[in-house]
Amino acid sequence: PRASRLVLQPDEAYLWVAYGGDGQESGVTAINPQTMKVVAKIPTGAGYHHIVFTDDSSHAFVSNPQSGTVSVIDVRKLAKVKDVPVGRGPTWIAYSDLAKAAYVANEGDGKIVAIDASEHTVRATMTASPGLGQIRFAPGGRFALVVNPSDNMIYVIDAASNQIVQQGKLDKGPNQIAFTNKTVHIRHKGS
């Protein structure tokens, strides 16, 4: 019920579908893209999910905004390994292969949390402002940008130090980030 987000894992072995939210059964479904058959349905925490994968497709990280957690899924076993508590309203999530960590932006409390990909524990917490939106890594995986459409802020995260190294003000609700090899493009929902 309520299928919402589709993500093909890096090795293209499974297509993942997030489902549920708003107090309903919630989780992710893995589909074999060759046969289009469901191979697993994995319950996670509650909320509208975002999904990222390690570069080798061994683990998936699923944000659970209503539960305040990120579910770590072992893709080889198609089973949830752990729910990592990360704060209020974890929404967008990005993975850095360079840092070997998943970074989640908490809309509710403004925290950016780094989750170690092998230990499945919180490696670092950075404080920004509530209302955080999309987080994306630039090519190379060292620097991430996080936008906040609520207060028009943008933050630059350095995955080498797990710190916010720059921040600045933008106009009219920055809410989407896209990279080319040399530039970043930010969409503003108010314009």
Side-chain angles (χ1 to χ4, degrees):
R2 298 190 66 175
S4 57
R5 184 167 294 281
L6 300 171
V7 182
L8 186 63
Q9 68 186 51
D11 66 5
E12 300 183 1
Y14 298 117
L15 173 68
W16 294 77
V17 181
Y19 66 87
D22 295 333
Q24 297 181 356
E25 180 185 351
S26 190
V28 291
T29 299
I31 298 172
N32 179 319
Q34 304 302 318
T35 65
M36 297 308 292
K37 299 221 186 280
V38 171
V39 293
K41 187 174 179 182
I42 303 166
T44 64
Y48 180 86
H49 310 289
H50 289 264
I51 309 165
V52 295
F53 298 89
T54 55
D55 281 2
D56 65 0
S57 297
S58 64
H59 288 88
F61 297 86
V62 181
S63 62
N64 307 307
Q66 293 174 352
S67 300
T69 62
V70 169
S71 295
V72 181
I73 295 171
D74 184 322
V75 174
R76 308 295 186 244
K77 295 178 182 176
L78 292 172
K80 182 169 68 170
V81 175
K82 186 176 189 179
D83 286 324
V84 180
V86 293
R88 288 191 347 224
T91 51
W92 288 93
I93 190 166
Y95 184 76
S96 168
D97 191 49
L98 184 67
K100 303 290 186 221
Y103 289 75
V104 62
N106 288 335
E107 183 179 7
D109 61 15
K111 305 271 189 215
I112 301 158
V113 178
I115 301 169
D116 187 281
S118 59
E119 299 294 320
H120 312 133
T121 57
V122 171
R123 181 186 291 172
T125 301
M126 296 150 269
T127 302
S129 58
L132 292 176
Q134 188 176 30
I135 180 170
R136 297 261 334 243
F137 274 91
R142 178 165 178 188
F143 295 103
L145 296 182
V146 186
V147 290
N148 190 326
S150 298
D151 64 4
N152 300 318
M153 292 295 291
I154 186 166
Y155 300 92
V156 179
I157 305 298
D158 183 348
S161 64
N162 285 317
Q163 293 187 23
I164 296 171
V165 293
Q166 271 188 317
Q167 61 187 23
K169 200 84 161 153
L170 296 174
D171 290 327
K172 299 184 179 177
N175 71 330
Q176 286 184 341
I177 305 165
F179 289 97
T180 65
N181 286 337
K182 296 183 180 183
T183 60
V184 62
H185 301 272
I186 298 172
R187 177 182 175 266
H188 300 260
K189 68 180 179 179
S191 65

